[in-house]
Amino acid sequence: MTESKEKFPEVQGGGSLILAWQIKNKPVLVVGGGEVAAGRILNLLNADAIVTVICPAEGLNPEVRHRIAHNQVTHIDRKFEPSDLERLPSPSTPDSPLGPPAMVLTAVDDPAASTQIWKLCQAARIPANIADVPPECDFYFGSVHRDGPLQIMVSTNGKGPRLAASIRKFIGQTLPVGVGDAIERIGLLRAKLRELSPEIEEGPKRMRWMIRVSDRYSWDEMCDLSDEDMDNLLRYYKPNKVPDIDVLKAMRGGTMSPEDIDVFDGSFGFSLGI
């Protein structure tokens, strides 16, 4: 067979498949109530999961007690039982259980008990993470930088959590100020665009136009886009143009329209007047 002359990326084994797991409104079981469990619980609540914590009351740390006191999680005051993998209580309707957990996280100082929970999860086909035991984890928690909708995770595949935290901090410090706000504005613009042109066949054009918009404006310019600016910008979608930011500013107050301005959006190179 003739070997292709094309160059393709080399396979780098030993990594993890890093995904954004949509756990919103899904039941999750946390076994344990110490410092590690508190961090796991916060990650889950940030992702809008429905969290149940199983731990004797004397094993709860102050942060977990706070979550329980403010009804952010459901607490079961006892040790784990195998039947917990079959159903979890509903926070709003205790008589109507939620069903089996979508994932299980353990953070207890009992290796034998943790391994037993791991084996039960494997048998029930429930993804599990056993704290500080990488071989008994279907997934890892990385070190996450968060700025509004922006999430950047650094993972060392369980080899160096402390180093991952240092790398995450370095990345966060190098990002532009206001990047989260810029993403919020772009997200709102995308939502407005889908309302303006919801047809399925418009999908590729919407994507290409949004790429041009994202490439055209700086972070600061994106943050400063008002609702009026976005509405004016959307007027350029049908003719498939992206105006300069100064054009949008000139249109504020309704004093000018796209027809009044000869827009050059950089799509076809440039010309020099001599």
Side-chain angles (χ1 to χ4, degrees):
M1 183 173 63
T2 303
E3 185 175 349
S4 173
K5 295 181 179 180
E6 295 184 70
K7 297 293 183 180
F8 300 104
E10 293 291 332
V11 175
Q12 300 182 50
S16 299
L17 183 62
I18 297 181
L19 304 171
W21 196 335
Q22 297 295 329
I23 203 71
K24 181 177 181 179
N25 294 330
K26 294 181 181 179
V28 178
L29 173 61
V30 177
V31 182
E35 181 179 354
V36 174
R40 301 289 196 255
I41 291 168
L42 179 59
N43 286 333
L44 293 168
L45 292 177
N46 284 340
D48 300 322
I50 302 173
V51 182
T52 297
V53 178
I54 294 181
C55 180
E58 60 269 20
L60 300 174
N61 86 341
E63 182 176 345
V64 179
R65 290 183 184 276
H66 171 82
R67 305 296 177 199
I68 295 169
H70 288 78
N71 297 317
Q72 296 174 350
V73 302
T74 298
H75 176 225
I76 300 178
D77 185 8
R78 59 168 170 76
K79 292 186 176 181
F80 171 85
E81 297 177 359
S83 60
D84 293 325
L85 299 184
E86 299 174 6
R87 61 190 178 277
L88 292 175
S90 171
S92 55
T93 53
D95 295 334
S96 302
L98 295 172
M103 67 168 62
V104 174
L105 314 175
T106 75
V108 295
D109 295 327
D110 188 337
S114 294
T115 296
Q116 182 61 29
I117 295 173
W118 160 255
K119 291 179 179 179
L120 291 170
C121 288
Q122 292 293 287
R125 297 175 180 265
I126 299 174
N129 174 281
I130 312 302
D132 293 328
V133 189
E136 297 182 354
C137 292
D138 290 306
F139 55 91
Y140 301 120
F141 282 87
S143 185
V144 177
H145 171 78
R146 181 76 184 268
D147 183 355
L150 175 66
Q151 291 178 268
I152 300 175
M153 189 184 88
V154 177
S155 173
T156 59
N157 288 299
K159 299 182 185 297
R162 179 61 63 181
L163 182 59
S166 298
I167 296 171
R168 181 264 304 162
K169 184 177 180 180
F170 173 79
I171 292 173
Q173 291 173 340
T174 61
L175 290 172
V177 176
V179 64
D181 292 334
I183 294 172
E184 288 281 10
R185 302 307 290 170
I186 286 295
L188 179 57
L189 179 64
R190 289 185 63 195
K192 287 176 172 285
L193 177 57
R194 284 193 294 269
E195 292 179 2
L196 174 70
S197 186
E199 299 81 6
I200 295 177
E201 58 271 16
E202 282 285 299
K205 180 183 176 182
R206 288 197 304 266
M207 184 179 298
R208 290 191 297 269
W209 190 76
M210 283 303 307
I211 290 174
R212 290 170 58 196
V213 169
S214 299
D215 291 343
R216 187 66 185 274
Y217 304 134
S218 69
W219 293 113
D220 290 339
E221 290 170 342
M222 290 179 188
C223 290
D224 290 339
L225 287 177
S226 66
D227 288 342
E228 180 188 12
D229 291 335
M230 285 190 279
D231 290 340
N232 286 332
L233 176 56
L234 289 171
R235 298 167 71 176
Y236 289 92
Y237 171 71
K238 292 297 183 183
N240 200 25
K241 295 182 178 181
V242 179
D244 186 80
I245 192 68
D246 290 334
V247 172
L248 292 180
K249 291 180 179 180
M251 296 175 65
R252 289 174 179 174
T255 57
M256 302 184 72
S257 68
E259 294 75 18
D260 299 324
I261 306 172
D262 183 15
V263 175
F264 168 65
D265 66 357
S267 299
F268 308 102
F270 62 94
S271 61
L272 297 176
I274 301 176

